[in-house]
Amino acid sequence: MNILSKILLISACCLIIGCGSKHNIEADYEIVPLPFEVKNTGGEPFILDDKTMIVYPEGNETLKQAAGFLSEYINLSIGLKPDITGDVKDQNVIVLKTGYKGDNPEAYQLLVSKDKITIQGVAEAAVFYGMQTLRKSMPVGHDITTVSFPATEITDYPRFGYRGMHLDVSRHMFPIESVKKYIDILALHNINRFHWHLTDDQGWRIEIKKYPELTKTGSMRAQTVIGKNSGEYDGKPYGGFYTQDEIKEVVKYAEERFITIIPEVDLPGHMLAALTTYPNLGCTGGPYKVAETWGVFDDVLCAGNEDIYPFLEGVFDEVIELFPSEYIHVGGDECPKTRWEKCPKCQAKIKALGLKADAGHTAEQGLQSYVIQRIEKYINSKGRKVIGWDEILEGGIAPNATIMSWQGIEGGTEAALQHHDAIMTPTTYLYFDYYQALDIKDELFGIGGYVPVEKVYSYEPMPEGLTKEQQKHIIGTQANVWTEYMKDFNHVEYMVLPRMAALSEIQWTQPEKKDYQKFLPRLAKLTKLYAKLGYNFATHIFNIEGKIETDNANKQLKMTLSTFDNAPIFYTLDGSEPTEKSTLYEGVIQIDKNVDIKAVAIRDGIRSKIYERKLDINKATFKPITLENKPWGRYSYAGAPTLVDGQAGGDVYASGGWIGFQQDMIATIDLEETTPISKVRMGTFVDVASWIFNVSEYSIYVSDDNKDFKQIYSKEFAPVEESQPVGPVYLDAEFSKVDTRYVKVVAKYLRSQPEWAGGAGKPASIFIDEIQVN
């Protein structure tokens, strides 16, 4: 959807939810993130017009600059551009000042009266967040001459002190102007930490003057794989890096917007770019090459080689000089120990350190802990602190390290229990390279998974079971953007917006004030500002949401259709295109036969994206089903009934419609009476880059008593090729008609992935959905 289409759609929604028009412009304090307290004081409104001025304290250069930002923000939103002044004025002014008394250093108060708006913060950063509140409360338009601000008192402060957003520039790199734009987007959402992932296997992106070859050699890869490790390549060299002058420019730009940049140099894994430059730092001595594919690689820094330590110290000397951040991120994630297990130097180091395997960790994991702790000690000596991904817990955490918990909540919980600070950033809620829609045919490419706005918003960062003292160690939360499949910044914007708005409310707003249904109209209003600023954002919140419940007792499905703004919905059941002449949705649709539902919301003549869902009612639908083996943890979802609910899993394996297994899937369906059958169809999902393969064998058994089963079909399958497209693969077992009551379906998982796979030699996962019996 282009920007013009988005503006038309948002405008139609705003007519329904009550956004202002040019004839009656009034500010609206229902913004994102929601402030702590908004009180209507009942006085006359403040009128912003072309005579309004912004006043800052004379001599305060920081607030003078902030006043300039606010003037520009107002200009971008409505076209007026207030002058700024350090002179004391009391009429028709917006006053910026510090001195507000509050326990939170980022707390502010925004007072609106007839004569002035006053934004007073504990410190300058707090004033800046008050400015963002004022900015987002304003209407958006081209020729607005006045804005009326209702008399109000807003008291506000953030829930968390660390409010982060991440960007990977190693897999794909973006121009400095794009990085600055990213910082502007963060500032709009009250985010105060920018985690900049600067090095990885696919490219070294930061100039290190002591080691110039890092950017001469390590910043360039010869070519890039097409898609998800398809085995096909584009044949084009790719690379680049940021000079130290450019980094200083970006750091200053962020500081001016009260954002601290946290640089990451990932170690001891994800170091192929450095190893290609300096092969002596690896266990084998090479040759190495800057990675042309995605994933995790066995070649890592040689922990037993003393040369890696002065090298890393030299790198961090310059990183620390460039970035004034309290924290330096050292990675520590996804470091295979394959090379270390066979490396004489690493084994000698393990012996010299007296490292032993125990019930929880290997000696090699202890060796990684040694590397992280040694580097942490050096960084601490420079007056800085270390952050690492949650793998640095393995083998013993570095004494003063902060944990970034990405694999789930367990890492953050364990860190807090050990009295270490933690930042929560779990994949299942806060990885913005995951898809944000189930219908992905029109989506920009994603790594997989499914993290819509609603799921982001639902995340609660504080793990259960922690004491109040332990809770203090959960210092904040962050979303991550990995850019394997994001070749340009337009793609990045689409993946982060509007999910970043949901993130900001997790980070800023008190949990008891969160309400997703009330959040949506506020988000819709914010997207109007996105459009005005030219941001590329996803519009899924304006689409129809469909929910389907299984009514086993009555052998039917119940479908509910809705939009956040209660727009009129029209639908068909035969797969034809819905129009305003189609059936108007007025309540639950009851389904007991095969249908192809298509629905559209129409707002002021503007059509939403078509919602489509095919439902297949067959002999297995609504029947009792049992599993012999438990599904795979987080991919269990609603369990066995999902396999016979009449709904195919779709194009995203993490949608909740597919059930994952790390062992054989053995399902028995009770048809409840003797029934003639001649075909069993089973859906599988293949995504080899995610270690999800086809089944190795598919078998069907039947029984009259659920005890003695007879095999009536079996077929073995070779592993799919590397070029296999990501998505569903359906298997049909056809056989002579047989009368039976019980049908057992067996799908065997692949015990060993092929040599070309990222998990070569390791077991694969299988994902199954919709077993259809006919």
Side-chain angles (χ1 to χ4, degrees), residues 292-570:
E292 300 166 0
T293 58
W294 320 124
V296 178
F297 302 91
D298 286 341
D299 286 305
V300 301
L301 290 177
C302 178
N305 182 352
E306 280 298 311
D307 290 345
I308 73 167
Y309 301 102
F311 165 75
L312 291 171
E313 290 169 3
V315 168
F316 282 117
D317 282 343
E318 296 190 31
V319 169
I320 288 168
E321 186 67 27
L322 288 169
F323 295 93
S325 167
E326 173 188 11
Y327 293 108
I328 303 295
H329 204 301
V330 298
D333 63 314
E334 297 178 327
C335 179
K337 310 304 187 290
T338 308
R339 299 286 186 252
W340 292 1
E341 290 167 356
K342 298 178 181 178
C343 173
K345 289 183 180 179
C346 290
Q347 292 303 311
K349 178 68 75 173
I350 286 172
K351 185 176 180 180
L353 294 171
L355 300 174
K356 305 286 185 183
D358 57 31
H361 302 98
T362 66
E364 286 75 21
Q365 287 175 323
L367 184 59
Q368 174 165 330
S369 179
Y370 166 77
V371 174
I372 297 296
Q373 290 186 32
R374 183 163 167 178
I375 295 304
E376 184 202 36
K377 185 176 180 181
Y378 184 78
I379 291 173
N380 289 167
S381 74
K382 301 290 183 177
R384 307 299 181 86
K385 297 178 182 178
V386 159
I387 296 179
W389 301 108
D390 53 32
E391 287 96 329
I392 71 171
L393 286 163
E394 298 169 359
I397 188 172
N400 304 303
T402 294
I403 297 299
M404 195 161 272
S405 187
W406 72 277
Q407 296 182 97
I409 65 168
E410 294 79 11
T413 303
E414 181 60 31
L417 292 173
Q418 295 187 35
H419 309 293
H420 283 265
D421 288 345
I423 299 155
M424 307 304 286
T425 179
T427 59
T428 48
Y429 293 93
L430 298 177
Y431 266 44
F432 288 178
D433 50 336
Y434 284 20
Y435 284 113
Q436 50 196 320
L438 292 176
D439 181 1
I440 64 173
K441 63 178 179 292
D442 297 322
E443 289 294 296
L444 295 179
F445 199 69
I447 194 171
Y450 177 52
V451 180
V453 169
E454 184 173 8
K455 188 164 188 181
V456 176
Y457 194 83
S458 73
Y459 179 55
E460 170 47 52
M462 193 63 67
E464 295 180 357
L466 297 179
T467 66
K468 286 188 176 181
E469 195 61 33
Q470 291 164 345
Q471 288 179 358
K472 293 177 182 177
H473 289 290
I474 307 299
I475 63 172
T477 186
Q478 170 179 298
N480 297 333
V481 182
W482 302 101
T483 61
E484 288 95 333
Y485 310 109
M486 302 181 204
K487 297 180 181 180
D488 56 57
F489 192 70
N490 187 66
H491 196 155
V492 172
E493 288 181 54
Y494 183 84
M495 299 304 274
V496 303
L497 297 175
R499 289 188 283 192
M500 195 186 294
L503 170 71
S504 74
E505 199 132 310
I506 297 168
Q507 296 172 331
W508 186 278
T509 304
Q510 299 302 314
E512 64 272 12
K513 292 183 175 292
K514 288 176 57 189
D515 183 311
Y516 183 67
Q517 293 307 317
K518 292 179 180 178
F519 166 74
L520 286 173
R522 292 186 282 115
L523 176 56
K525 185 170 76 109
L526 179 60
T527 61
K528 199 169 185 182
L529 181 56
Y530 290 168
K532 187 69 165 61
L533 295 172
Y535 296 160
N536 185 36
F537 59 96
T539 59
H540 305 103
I541 64 164
F542 300 104
N543 295 340
I544 294 171
E545 180 180 359
K547 291 187 177 180
I548 301 174
E549 294 182 3
T550 302
D551 182 354
N552 288 320
N554 293 305
K555 306 297 184 185
Q556 63 183 12
L557 298 173
K558 294 182 176 180
M559 169 170 275
T560 304
L561 302 176
S562 64
T563 64
F564 81 91
D565 56 349
N566 297 315
I569 297 173
F570 301 88

Side-chain angles (χ1 to χ4, degrees), residues 91-103:
Q91 300 291 319
N92 197 12
V93 291
I94 302 171
V95 179
L96 309 181
K97 63 181 182 178
T98 57
Y100 179 65
K101 303 300 181 185
D103 295 332

Side-chain angles (χ1 to χ4, degrees), residues 228 230 685-688 692 720-729:
K228 297 186 74 172
S230 63
F685 197 95
V686 176
D687 182 353
V688 295
I692 302 171
V720 295
E721 299 295 327
E722 187 174 5
S723 58
Q724 173 71 32
V726 174
V729 175

